[in-house]
Amino acid sequence: MMFSFMLVDDAKPLRLCKHCQKVFLVSRANSAFCSARCKNQYNVYKCRGKNKGQDGEDNA
């Protein structure tokens, strides 16, 4: 019963984590990640992807 109330609550909606795709309850309006760990991992992978492309251009 409580789960159904959480689904329809406008103040704290459910979202999917941008990194792990798990459903989480939003504590802030601009939350995109379920935890600080997911946010850090997402940023590390994103940064490594950019650096990998730049390293290939520098070597050419």
Side-chain angles (χ1 to χ4, degrees):
M1 183 77 154
M2 289 301 292
F3 183 71
S4 64
F5 286 127
M6 287 174 29
L7 288 175
V8 295
D9 187 9
D10 291 333
K12 292 189 174 189
L14 295 175
R15 290 202 185 147
L16 285 176
C17 179
K18 202 172 183 181
H19 177 67
C20 68
Q21 301 300 314
K22 290 183 182 178
V23 176
F24 70 102
L25 186 62
V26 175
S27 58
R28 302 177 90 170
N30 61 349
S31 297
F33 302 96
C34 64
S35 65
R37 181 179 178 193
C38 272
K39 182 177 180 179
N40 289 335
Q41 284 182 342
Y42 177 83
N43 289 331
V44 166
Y45 293 148
K46 185 177 165 185
C47 183
R48 285 181 184 168
K50 285 183 182 178
N51 290 340
K52 190 175 187 179
Q54 290 174 356
D55 290 344
E57 293 172 3
D58 291 338
N59 292 336

